[in-house]
Amino acid sequence: MSATAFDFEQARFNMIEQQIRPWEVLDARVLALLAQVKREDFVPEAYRALALSDLEIPLSRPAVEGECMLPPKVEARALQELDLQPTDNVLEIGAGSGYMAALMGRLARQVLTLEINPRLADMARANLARAGATNVKVKTADAAAARFAACVDEAPYDAIVLSGGVAEVPADLLELLRVGGRLLAFVGDEVVMRATVVTRAGEASYHSEQPWDIVVPRLRNFPEPARFRF
């Protein structure tokens, strides 16, 4: 084994034991995936040495605000909250480099991931192809446009995950959930945001939980509430 490969494997072990487990991620399936899916293969070459670090990884150089991979512990806990099953049909909004979609593809039946930036969409496609993620489809689209028209064809979904922050969860997006399905989003303003899990309990009823605090970059073009002005 080369020195470089040894360094990544040691860093991966440290990531799981020092970052992931202390953040209350104990699901054996999730921990196994983090060991199997090579995160460094989804990181731009310039930042590859930082792939397993506890920080946001820029996906552009120079860095562009909002275009990043979330810290590994955030991705891992989000994956645990979703509790994906082998029969699940999953929607992700914000493909980024494709890493989260690759993880979800290992647990679910199929994943559709939307990316507004064509360059990032191409990056995700290439990364996912190299990883052999044949049940993951990347679509270049503004998910929030026209009442989520780009998401409708594959609906209903058993799980929906928003990979960036939003001011609130749009009702049009919740309607794309199957009864019993769940949506995970990071909701609020930059100072105070909460990981939010919404479960569709019935045709017109939803149950919401906010299990942990987090601050993440905003998703582009999602509606913002009107601000009061004098």
Side-chain angles (χ1 to χ4, degrees), residues 94-210:
S97 69
Y99 176 68
M100 187 67 173
L103 294 174
M104 294 191 295
R106 294 287 191 98
L107 296 175
R109 178 173 60 86
Q110 64 180 25
V111 178
L112 170 65
T113 181
L114 272 59
E115 176 54 54
I116 194 171
N117 184 328
R119 184 188 61 79
L120 291 185
D122 288 342
M123 177 194 297
R125 288 188 190 98
N127 289 341
L128 288 160
R130 281 195 299 271
T134 56
N135 64 335
V136 180
K137 180 169 67 175
V138 181
K139 185 175 183 179
T140 306
D142 179 354
R147 299 184 64 181
F148 299 93
C151 310
V152 170
D153 288 348
E154 305 287 341
Y157 300 100
D158 301 284
I160 299 174
V161 58
L162 280 59
S163 65
V166 293
E168 56 191 14
V169 179
D172 291 332
L173 195 54
L174 289 173
E175 290 175 2
L176 299 180
L177 281 174
R178 192 187 310 277
V179 172
R182 55 266 176 224
L183 175 146
L184 184 139
F186 306 108
V187 180
D189 292 318
E190 189 166 317
V191 179
V192 180
M193 301 179 74
R194 303 278 310 201
T196 301
V197 182
V198 182
T199 302
R200 187 168 193 174
E203 288 298 331
S205 60
Y206 299 87
H207 172 70
S208 181
E209 297 179 341
Q210 294 185 310

